[in-house]
Amino acid sequence: VMWFPMRTLYQTRTGPVPLAGGYLLLVAVILVCWLAGSNGLIRILTDNTILNYPVLLPLAPWRIITGFFYSLVMILVYYLILYYEEIREKTEKEAELRTMMAEAEIKALKAQLNPHFLFNTLNTMGSFMYTDPEKAGNMLIMLSRFLRYSLTHEEKQFVPLSRELDYISTYLELLRMRYGKKWNFSQKIDDACPKAQIPVMILQPLVENAVQYA
């Protein structure tokens, strides 16, 4: 009888004072129903000959105290069950979040290095080996620098903007060597910006999409 009213009061979340008042009202209603029902049952079972109201009346305070204690125990058990359910749900959500974060990290690591870009750069280097070996050597050095930054995982999650810009410049220089005069770029950066800390590899996907789609 108490379970559903307690759940309704808990789900409303109207504040501690209204919640406590609601529980007290619930306990009072339960006690009144308990006393009235038990008195009527006792009178029926005893045929109103052994026990009557003058006999039951002195016992009423103890019965009220006992009923109030049982009600508090019920409320405590209810909140213990709720606490257990919330802990279990929180644990499940945290496990799900960790799984999602791990999957996102794997996808991010895969997205850091576009295989098409790597293959195209290697093919360009292969053709330059016969026509312009010096240019092929420079591309190899820049590609090595590009891959080193892409595949090196540091404990730091943030790097200075200047370091990220060096990485982007290497990436764009490789594109310029591939496309020749068809491709050019410039950058305008405020003097205070290079010292700013930004997440690692956050600019490369933006630049790559700009190059690929814009």
Side-chain angles (χ1 to χ4, degrees):
V1 174
M2 294 183 63
W3 183 269
F4 295 102
M6 283 192 298
R7 178 171 289 274
T8 302
L9 288 172
Y10 180 78
Q11 290 177 347
T12 55
R13 303 291 181 96
T14 55
V17 176
L19 186 63
Y23 280 133
L24 289 177
L25 180 61
L26 174 63
V27 171
V29 172
I30 294 295
L31 288 178
V32 170
C33 295
W34 182 17
L35 291 176
S38 60
N39 288 347
L41 181 62
I42 290 174
R43 290 171 62 85
I44 293 174
L45 294 177
T46 60
D47 197 18
N48 200 22
T49 57
I50 300 176
L51 295 176
N52 50 34
Y53 283 114
V55 177
L56 294 175
L57 189 60
L59 299 177
W62 295 105
R63 295 170 67 195
I64 292 174
I65 293 174
T66 304
F68 186 76
F69 173 75
Y70 287 156
S71 300
L72 291 181
V73 171
M74 284 292 298
I75 294 175
L76 177 61
V77 171
Y78 173 76
Y79 270 92
L80 287 176
I81 294 175
L82 282 182
Y83 179 75
Y84 171 76
E85 291 180 351
E86 290 181 353
I87 291 295
R88 181 175 55 83
E89 292 178 358
K90 183 179 180 181
T91 303
E92 292 177 354
K93 289 181 179 179
E94 289 179 351
E96 183 180 358
L97 181 60
R98 284 195 295 268
T99 302
M100 294 175 61
M101 290 179 63
E103 293 177 354
E105 183 177 358
I106 293 174
K107 292 180 180 178
L109 291 176
K110 291 181 178 179
Q112 286 179 5
L113 185 60
N114 190 327
H116 297 290
F117 167 77
L118 178 60
F119 295 149
N120 292 335
T121 303
L122 291 175
N123 290 332
T124 304
M125 289 170 52
S127 63
F128 283 156
M129 289 178 64
Y130 300 98
T131 60
D132 194 344
E134 183 179 357
K135 191 173 184 179
N138 292 333
M139 287 191 69
L140 181 61
I141 294 174
M142 284 187 291
L143 182 61
S144 175
R145 187 187 309 164
F146 177 81
L147 294 176
R148 186 180 296 111
Y149 187 89
S150 300
L151 302 178
T152 300
H153 307 296
E154 301 178 352
E155 294 182 359
K156 284 187 175 182
Q157 298 297 322
F158 293 85
V159 295
L161 176 62
S162 57
R163 186 173 181 183
E164 190 80 359
L165 290 175
D166 290 340
Y167 169 72
I168 295 300
S169 298
T170 304
Y171 171 74
L172 294 177
E173 183 64 21
L174 286 171
L175 291 178
R176 189 189 65 80
M177 297 181 73
R178 278 177 53 194
Y179 295 111
K181 295 181 180 180
K182 298 180 181 179
W183 170 255
N184 195 9
F185 67 93
S186 61
Q187 58 184 12
K188 296 180 181 179
I189 303 169
D190 189 89
D191 294 338
C193 292
K195 297 181 181 179
Q197 298 289 320
I198 63 172
V200 179
M201 297 289 294
I202 196 174
L203 294 182
Q204 193 270 340
L206 299 177
V207 176
E208 184 177 353
N209 287 333
V211 172
Q212 184 174 356
Y213 299 109

